[in-house]
Amino acid sequence: MKSKKLLILYATQTGNALDVAERIAREAERRACSAVIRSTHEYDASSLPAEDTVIFVVSTTGQGDTPDSMKVFWRFLLQRNLGSHWLEGVHYAVFGLGDSGYQKYNFVAKKLDKRLSDLGAKAVIERGLGDDQHPSGYEAALDPWMSSLWSGLNAIKPDFFPEGPDFLVPIEELIGQPKFQVTYHNVDSMDSQLSTATDFKYLQMQIGKARSMSSGKVPHEKSKPDTFLKMVKNCPLTRASHEKDVRHFEFEFVSQVIQYEVGDVLEVLPSQNPAAVDSFIQRCNLDPESFITVHPREMENHCLDNNLTTSNVPIKLRTFVELTMDVASASPRRYFFEVMSFFATAEHEKERLQYFASPEGRDDLYQYNQKERRTVLEVLEDFPSVQMPFEWLVQLVPPLKNRAFSISSSLLAHPDQVHLTVDVVSWTTPFKRKRRGLCSTWLASLDPEQRIYVPVWFHKGLLPPPPPSLPLILIGPGTGCAPFRGFVAERAVQSQSSTIAPTLLFFGCRNKHNDFLYRDLWLSHSQNDGVLSEAKGGGFYAAFSRDQPQKVYVQHKMQEQSQRIWNLLSEGAAIYVAGSSTKMPSDVMEALEEIISKESGAPRESAARWLRSLEKAGKYHVEAWS
């Protein structure tokens, strides 16, 4: 017997796909259609043939990769033995979230759509593709896609809509209960020494406790930091007059030492501005000193992700807000405005919030909210009559997220240390408001004398550590050079005891005198038999895009060295690319196609195929960030 509930499966990396899945579920329930939401990582893919209709909401990460939570699910679907009738009788629809600035735009949604169809499932409507680059973000594609979804579903499965396709429950009736329940505890008797302890175990426990209770869907094993670091060096790499501020940070382990490798990634939990946290608590009439526990509330139609193994030990409300709720940097989502409209007591505020939450107000909301990067605190201050219960705030305030950075050191060369190369993010909004990146600004403000402990997590990135015998072609413009600083430092140590393969490094920046990151380091490794010296078969090439009338980028420097690149590729070299995700990775790929075609005499299509086979063989790696 097939389920009468609409199954919505989502795969998310940053939370957007979950947000869309929840929105589809709410809209289904407004039409009296029951919906169940599941993450692909907790759904057994072998159950798919038993489903009636499945809506997939999937995001694309990195260079066309599936989110981590979808990897096992996707591997299952790729099994050869499933056959073209495996999903016969199953209906599906796919909505993808991507960014057309990337080469493999919405690749995961496109691949999933094709695979489901190949396995015999029938699409209810054409796949929808949300684009972050659109002036209204992914919602520009989502609204019309959802309208088609309801009419398409009604045409094939009218029993999903017992009240008919045009029936709509008023939003006020549906707002219902928040997904989280907050319990307040009387803890005068609580062991007070705990709340003043500063040892790492206690700090780790506090962070783990708060984050495992929060709505941010943090897998339980990731809620506690791996270790703590203290900053020992904070120095600028760019000239003070330059528009960009790039810093070199050095940290030492203060608790457990983690054995990381070059190419790994460090995640940092940033500290929020205490004044902003206090303002938020005051604006929402909360008691910062109260002790709370937060639990998911079971709902009739919504199966929540219950991997939130919540702890029953109460935590201070202020600590919970500080460690889990991003009150002064991230922008709230559209549903935040919808729920706010329900709690607004001033009529003009209620009307404006309802307009913002409607399809007609979508573009105006995008301009007011996302384009201006309006924070939760700013939005609440703009609508003073709104008093939202804390449970709703726990659910709807964006979670405070870890920020990921490529590690720019090698444990071999820098024992017991971790180095980062960080662009201190700042920009001006369309309304000329100055905005700053939360984590990079906080790190840049730290004084090594202060002994501030930084909670961190280590994980594998997209750049595997190369063996010393592998020739390397490294392309890292701007802060993309960060991981390669680790690679080069490691090879320099290895070269003292064994022979290492040649390394070519292509770096790019705007001006030789303003933002030539690690200039002395690269130049010293290029001389006296260093890792990048010609004597060792290596080379260092820098492109300064603004130092002459014609812009010169890394791909131009690569073309100047096409023969050296081709020689190394012929010897089995691996290519590593790191840096900005917008145009650079595809420009580099095009330059390599041209080089291979020119040097080998093969047509361009063969060169492109050859590069694809290099990718499949694990010898073409890209780590790009926006």
Side-chain angles (χ1 to χ4, degrees):
M1 177 68 185
K2 296 208 170 192
S3 167
K4 282 282 170 279
K5 287 186 175 181
L6 186 63
L7 174 63
I8 303 167
L9 291 180
Y10 70 90
T12 195
Q13 197 76 0
T14 61
N16 282 340
L18 168 61
D19 198 51
V20 170
E22 288 181 334
R23 174 126 186 262
I24 295 168
R26 285 194 301 274
E27 289 296 331
E29 289 177 357
R30 284 193 72 195
R31 290 158 176 79
C33 166
S34 291
V36 176
I37 301 175
R38 283 264 188 273
S39 166
T40 46
H41 85 273
E42 54 157 26
Y43 178 82
D44 179 359
S46 65
S47 314
L48 273 178
E51 302 294 350
D52 188 309
T53 305
V54 188
I55 310 300
F56 291 91
V57 182
V58 294
S59 58
T60 295
T61 70
Q63 301 299 305
D65 305 312
T66 56
D68 296 339
S69 60
M70 186 178 167
K71 292 200 185 320
V72 173
F73 180 89
W74 181 239
R75 268 202 302 275
F76 185 92
L77 286 194
L78 289 180
Q79 293 178 105
R80 289 225 173 103
N81 61 345
L82 294 180
S84 59
H85 299 292
W86 188 63
L87 290 181
E88 217 161 67
V90 177
H91 292 86
Y92 76 93
V94 173
F95 188 82
L97 291 99
D99 181 328
S100 57
Y102 283 76
Q103 212 176 353
K104 293 184 175 174
Y105 167 59
N106 257 315
F107 202 53
V108 175
K110 292 170 184 173
K111 283 195 303 189
L112 176 65
D113 184 24
K114 183 175 185 319
R115 185 63 182 149
L116 293 169
S117 170
D118 290 348
L119 292 170
K122 198 168 172 27
V124 178
I125 53 165
E126 253 185 66
R127 64 179 177 235
L129 301 178
D131 183 6
D132 260 359
Q133 296 283 336
H134 189 280
S136 295
Y138 63 77
E139 289 186 326
L142 179 61
D143 287 337
W145 182 84
M146 273 202 299
S147 303
S148 309
L149 176 66
W150 308 132
S151 43
L153 272 179
N154 185 57
I156 55 161
K157 297 275 169 203
D159 37 342
F160 269 134
F161 306 100
E163 308 286 341
D166 303 322
F167 173 79
L168 272 187
V169 178
I171 283 174
E172 287 72 20
E173 287 177 37
L174 246 191
I175 209 87
Q177 298 278 346
K179 294 194 302 192
F180 290 88
Q181 207 168 343
V182 176
T183 310
Y184 290 82
H185 300 265
N186 180 8
V187 283
D188 297 342
S189 55
M190 257 191 92
D191 195 348
S192 63
Q193 99 210 6
L194 259 185
S195 48
T196 54
T198 53
D199 69 298
F200 301 116
K201 278 279 169 275
Y202 174 69
L203 271 173
Q204 200 172 30
M205 193 181 76
Q206 283 283 73
I207 292 170
K209 191 162 53 170
R211 288 165 68 78
S212 65
M213 280 188 215
S214 93
S215 67
K217 302 284 184 293
V218 181
H220 194 53
E221 69 281 1
K222 276 194 76 180
S223 57
K224 275 187 193 164
D226 292 336
T227 188
F228 290 86
L229 302 175
K230 77 165 193 274
M231 186 182 281
V232 291
K233 201 169 191 179
N234 172 352
C235 59
L237 294 172
T238 44
R239 270 169 73 154
S241 57
H242 188 58
E243 62 199 69
K244 269 189 178 303
D245 177 8
V246 180
R247 301 289 177 102
H248 172 74
F249 299 128
E250 295 185 7
F251 301 91
E252 281 177 357
F253 290 93
V254 283
S255 52
Q256 186 192 356
V257 174
I258 302 291
Q259 298 298 316
Y260 68 86
E261 295 183 291
V262 292
D264 284 359
V265 168
L266 185 78
E267 282 191 6
V268 176
L269 177 65
S271 268
Q272 302 195 75
N273 180 339
V277 173
D278 291 339
S279 300
F280 171 80
I281 286 171
Q282 213 174 341
R283 164 64 184 83
C284 300
N285 291 333
L286 303 169
D287 173 7
E289 297 302 308
S290 57
F291 279 82
I292 59 167
T293 47
V294 178
H295 301 271
R297 188 195 303 270
E298 273 307 325
M299 286 168 153
E300 211 182 314
N301 293 335
H302 273 45
C303 282
L304 287 172
D305 250 10
N306 243 341
N307 61 343
L308 303 173
T309 350
T310 50
S311 132
N312 288 321
V313 185
I315 190 169
K316 250 190 200 176
L317 183 141
R318 191 186 193 287
T319 308
F320 181 82
V321 170
E322 203 173 28
L323 293 174
T324 72
M325 297 167 73
D326 192 337
V327 298
S329 116
S331 296
R333 299 180 186 273
R334 183 166 161 182
Y335 189 43
F336 188 80
F337 293 87
E338 200 172 300
V339 175
M340 274 178 80
S341 73
F342 185 68
F343 292 105
T345 52
E347 203 48 47
H348 68 285
E349 288 183 17
K350 188 186 261 313
E351 279 173 18
R352 189 164 178 231
L353 288 163
Q354 283 172 340
Y355 169 69
F356 272 162
S358 70
E360 302 75 52
R362 183 192 68 216
D363 293 353
D364 286 339
L365 174 62
Y366 193 79
Q367 294 306 320
Y368 164 82
N369 186 41
Q370 290 98 311
K371 284 296 254 191
E372 281 299 303
R373 277 298 277 275
R374 205 93 40 182
T375 68
V376 166
L377 183 54
E378 287 172 334
V379 170
L380 288 169
E381 283 168 348
D382 278 353
F383 296 91
S385 82
V386 174
Q387 275 305 332
M388 278 165 93
F390 187 51
E391 281 86 350
W392 275 113
L393 292 165
V394 168
Q395 177 181 331
L396 297 176
V397 170
L400 182 64
K401 289 184 180 150
N402 295 349
R403 287 5 187 218
F405 300 97
S406 294
I407 293 174
S408 56
S409 52
S410 146
L411 263 183
L412 202 58
H414 314 101
D416 297 343
Q417 286 204 338
V418 186
H419 300 175
L420 297 181
T421 308
V422 176
D423 188 352
V424 183
V425 181
S426 68
W427 73 99
T428 306
T429 70
F431 284 110
K432 303 284 177 275
R433 289 154 24 105
K434 263 292 208 209
R435 302 267 93 168
R436 296 183 189 286
L438 174 67
C439 190
S440 60
T441 304
W442 173 62
L443 288 173
S445 74
L446 294 184
D447 176 351
E449 300 299 308
Q450 286 172 310
R451 292 185 70 80
I452 300 280
Y453 299 124
V454 180
V456 296
W457 290 255
F458 286 81
H459 66 79
K460 292 284 151 218
L462 297 171
L463 307 175
S469 58
L470 180 67
L472 294 179
I473 298 164
L474 309 175
I475 299 130
T479 51
C481 70
F484 306 141
R485 180 180 179 270
F487 281 33
V488 169
E490 184 142 302
R491 288 206 154 186
V493 176
Q494 289 166 338
S495 69
Q496 291 163 14
S497 55
S498 60
T499 311
I500 54 152
T503 308
L504 296 184
L505 172 60
F506 293 89
F507 170 76
C509 63
R510 290 186 171 194
N511 314 100
K512 187 174 188 172
H513 299 296
N514 286 336
D515 56 340
F516 190 171
L517 311 181
Y518 300 117
R519 169 192 179 149
D520 297 343
L521 177 89
W522 306 131
L523 297 179
S524 70
H525 281 299
S526 311
Q527 295 153 7
N528 309 328
D529 290 351
V531 172
L532 300 173
S533 66
E534 297 212 354
K536 289 280 192 237
F540 172 70
Y541 309 99
F544 307 110
S545 63
R546 309 293 160 88
D547 278 353
Q548 60 287 307
Q550 291 80 31
K551 289 185 180 162
V552 175
Y553 296 116
V554 279
Q555 60 269 27
H556 301 122
K557 289 289 167 190
M558 288 166 65
Q559 275 157 339
E560 286 173 17
Q561 302 300 325
S562 68
Q563 198 175 353
R564 300 205 64 197
I565 288 175
W566 174 242
N567 291 344
L568 273 195
L569 285 174
S570 308
E571 288 166 28
I575 298 167
Y576 284 73
V577 183
S580 162
S581 64
T582 38
K583 275 181 91 290
M584 187 273 296
S586 54
D587 288 345
V588 164
M589 176 77 92
E590 272 183 38
L592 285 163
E593 282 176 17
E594 276 176 41
I595 287 166
I596 294 163
S597 174
K598 176 185 150 191
E599 297 296 335
S600 69
R604 190 70 186 262
E605 301 74 60
S606 308
R609 269 201 306 280
W610 195 78
L611 278 174
R612 276 201 297 278
S613 67
L614 210 59
E615 235 175 307
K616 284 203 174 84
K619 285 192 163 184
Y620 193 113
H621 306 283
V622 181
E623 184 150 85
W625 49 85
S626 47

